[in-house]
Amino acid sequence: MMAEGGGNSVFTSLVLEEGGNQQLACDDENELPAQIKSNQQKLKKFVRKSEWLMKHPIRQNLWRDLCLRNTQVGPSIYEELADSGRDEEELIEGSKLPQFIDEGHILFYKLNDYGQQILHKMMFAIENAHPEITYCPLLLPLASVLLHYVEESVCFECLVALLQEQTLKYLHQTRVEYEAFLMNFTKIAAKFIPQTHSYLTEQNESKEFFKNWIWIIFEDLPFSHLVRIIDCFLVEGLKVLYRVGLALADSYKKATGAKKSNDLMSSIREHARNIPESPKQLLKAAFQFRGFSRATIRSIQSKNQVKVRNKLSELQSPQRLGHNVTVATQINSNIISHSQLQGLWKWLPERIALLKPKLIFSTSEHGYSLISLYNQCQETEPLLLLVKSVKQEVFGAYLSTNLEERNNKERKLAFFGTGECFLFSLVPEQEKYGWVGLEDNETLDATNQMFIRAAGNLLVIGGGDGDGIHLKSDLNNGWTSYCDTFGNPPLASNGQFQCAEVEVVSFDTD
């Protein structure tokens, strides 16, 4: 909760643009009505249109409830996690933060020394609770804002809940996800504010703006604006930040009269610091854009993640040093020869092509059963699926995602996987069929993103107007046809095939 000065208070007193210590302008209730909190649409509209001042006490309960609404809160283990492996000296101001924090964006929002010490302690606790997080630069700024309104242990529970939420998606937790998140804004701007997008891209530092747009929101907007943005962010997730970015860009263009600047980044940062729109006006502009769906964002995000992975692979690739990536290890396959495996290896993502292949399933050893295939592939990704028909046709698929995802009860769609998946043919011809989304197709929809469907009675790779590869539960028969996801022709003659052999290859990291 916001505290005023003195003692061991975490917070310093803030100068409020809304009028300092004036009376609260809205209803002095600290709790929202239950009928609003329990209805997402009502809650969204209510929070969007509310005009709470920055010090309104409603946020202590509202933010806690929003963060924890899908979480069962048990006994707190915060202190145990925070102190694990740390002595007191490591928790003082200036101590080194976990590696998932971007040290170029350490934002305290006027937290005093004690508050900053708590923030460091909390980041260590997050590191202990979630060692799988590798890069999450928005986590610390968000924690800093939350600490102005909720107590330390509650703030930790809120952050953990936000990290675990997958439907709304609050925080990307790897560099690939985060870099793709930043890249998404360019395409979103081109779609929703085309004139402003053109105006910005014509200027010298446009790339710098589209690379750092998120930090203009978190670093340059007045704190009063940021707090109202976080109100909406906690209800609706990351898409609120995209909306605010669009509104901010439009505001800048309007204020400059569409005149070009010699220093775009400095100019737009200065505009944000002195933005003429009130928080209410900025949010009204942000929520005017229609057709801004999570499906649109997921489509762009998936596509950009593949681009980021490919870019990172190229930077790390031995080919950049004049070497060729080849597979040195032969596998005991009844389907493909070593030379065919070499050809297939050139189609793999660079980071995977550096690993050793390992045959983990074959129908000759484990039987003609899809369940047996699943059992041999537990907790393993990525995978190569190989099929040889009785007509000696050889084809298959690269699967980027663990087949155990079929058992994820939180998944709402039948298909899963990413744009790294692809289909291929080796015999009678060698050809790769990658995701159509990599071709900058502007008409992508759900049928273009059906990568993997796995169940007890079928395994399908590629969907939309047909199945790229469809294997039945007995692994004896199947079919193949054109599919919207990969734009492939049938991989076997006449589309129907009888399996002579099915194999799965994993990639050994040992």
Side-chain angles (χ1 to χ4, degrees), residues 8 22 29 60 66 144 186-187 208 213 219 247 251 275 350 354 394-395 408 427 471 481 506-507:
N8 289 328
Q22 66 180 343
E29 288 289 338
Q60 181 181 24
L66 289 175
S144 296
T186 302
K187 198 157 194 174
E208 192 69 18
W213 63 273
E219 292 180 344
S251 171
I275 190 165
E350 292 284 0
L354 298 173
V394 176
F395 53 91
N408 182 356
V427 179
L471 290 173
S481 67
S506 68
F507 301 87

Side-chain angles (χ1 to χ4, degrees), residues 154-174:
V154 175
C155 183
F156 170 77
E157 298 296 339
C158 288
L159 293 174
V160 170
L162 295 179
L163 287 165
Q164 294 173 339
E165 172 62 43
Q166 293 301 313
T167 302
L168 294 178
K169 194 69 179 179
Y170 291 100
L171 293 162
H172 292 300
Q173 299 166 43
T174 69

Side-chain angles (χ1 to χ4, degrees), residues 36 44 396:
I36 292 179
K44 185 166 62 175

Side-chain angles (χ1 to χ4, degrees), residues 203-411:
Q203 303 191 51
N204 291 333
E205 291 191 3
S206 62
K207 290 184 178 180
E208 192 69 18
F209 166 71
F210 284 109
K211 183 180 178 181
N212 291 287
W213 63 273
I214 190 63
W215 296 114
I216 297 175
I217 295 174
F218 276 88
E219 292 180 344
D220 297 306
L221 282 175
F223 191 67
S224 56
H225 287 63
L226 181 60
V227 168
R228 280 293 291 123
I229 291 167
I230 297 301
D231 286 339
C232 299
F233 168 78
L234 293 178
V235 176
E236 302 182 52
L238 277 175
K239 71 175 186 177
V240 167
L241 303 182
Y242 291 121
R243 286 183 172 277
V244 172
L246 296 176
L248 181 59
D250 266 351
S251 171
Y252 173 72
K253 177 175 177 285
K254 179 181 177 181
T256 59
K259 294 180 180 179
K260 294 183 181 180
S261 170
N262 293 327
D263 189 346
L264 176 62
M265 278 303 294
S266 296
S267 180
I268 200 167
R269 281 184 177 276
E270 182 65 22
H271 173 79
R273 295 186 192 107
N274 301 282
I275 190 165
E277 291 88 357
S278 66
K280 178 183 176 181
Q281 291 170 329
L282 183 65
L283 287 175
K284 182 178 180 181
F287 291 116
Q288 71 177 335
F289 305 107
R290 302 300 178 192
F292 201 94
S293 67
R294 288 193 180 86
T296 299
I297 295 172
R298 282 196 300 267
S299 172
I300 300 172
Q301 175 76 17
S302 179
K303 181 176 176 181
N304 281 333
Q305 283 184 192
V306 174
K307 290 182 178 179
V308 173
R309 287 193 187 100
N310 290 341
K311 180 179 178 180
L312 293 175
S313 295
E314 288 174 6
L315 292 174
Q316 300 167 2
S317 171
Q319 291 182 353
R320 294 175 61 89
L321 303 176
H323 299 295
N324 291 320
V325 177
T326 60
V327 54
T329 305
Q330 175 64 293
I331 58 175
N332 189 25
S333 172
N334 293 323
I335 296 181
I336 60 174
S337 66
H338 187 62
S339 62
Q340 288 174 325
L341 189 61
Q342 293 282 21
L344 176 55
W345 225 246
K346 296 176 183 178
W347 296 334
L348 300 177
E350 292 284 0
R351 70 187 191 282
I352 303 302
L354 298 173
L355 305 177
K356 295 180 180 180
K358 181 180 180 181
L359 187 65
I360 60 173
F361 172 83
S362 69
T363 47
S364 61
E365 179 179 352
H366 301 101
Y368 286 78
S369 165
L370 188 54
I371 297 301
S372 179
L373 184 153
Y374 290 150
N375 289 338
Q376 293 301 123
C377 299
Q378 288 185 28
E379 306 300 328
T380 304
E381 66 178 36
L383 298 168
L384 270 179
L385 173 69
L386 303 171
V387 179
K388 184 177 183 179
S389 74
V390 294
K391 294 182 179 180
Q392 305 303 302
E393 299 150 323
V394 176
F395 53 91
Y398 173 78
L399 313 181
S400 64
T401 305
N402 195 323
L403 294 176
E404 286 298 297
E405 181 65 17
R406 73 188 189 280
N407 296 320
N408 182 356
K409 291 182 172 54
E410 296 181 359
R411 180 170 51 82

Side-chain angles (χ1 to χ4, degrees), residues 38-104:
S38 62
N39 186 299
Q40 175 69 9
Q41 290 303 314
K42 289 183 179 179
L43 179 62
K44 185 166 62 175
K45 291 179 180 179
F46 184 84
V47 173
R48 284 183 180 185
K49 295 181 179 180
S50 294
E51 297 184 57
W52 301 305
L53 299 182
M54 201 163 66
K55 293 176 67 175
H56 199 302
I58 195 171
R59 289 191 177 88
Q60 181 181 24
N61 295 321
L62 176 66
W63 285 12
R64 177 201 63 206
D65 292 346
L66 289 175
C67 292
L68 302 178
R69 57 186 155 170
N70 296 323
T71 303
Q72 289 187 339
V73 180
S76 176
I77 57 172
Y78 167 60
E79 291 296 337
E80 178 183 347
L81 287 168
D83 296 336
S84 176
R86 307 285 180 184
D87 56 37
E88 197 65 29
E89 293 183 1
E90 288 183 291
L91 299 177
I92 63 172
E93 179 186 3
S95 61
K96 188 175 181 180
L97 286 161
Q99 291 185 350
F100 59 74
I101 299 298
D102 185 341
E103 295 190 356

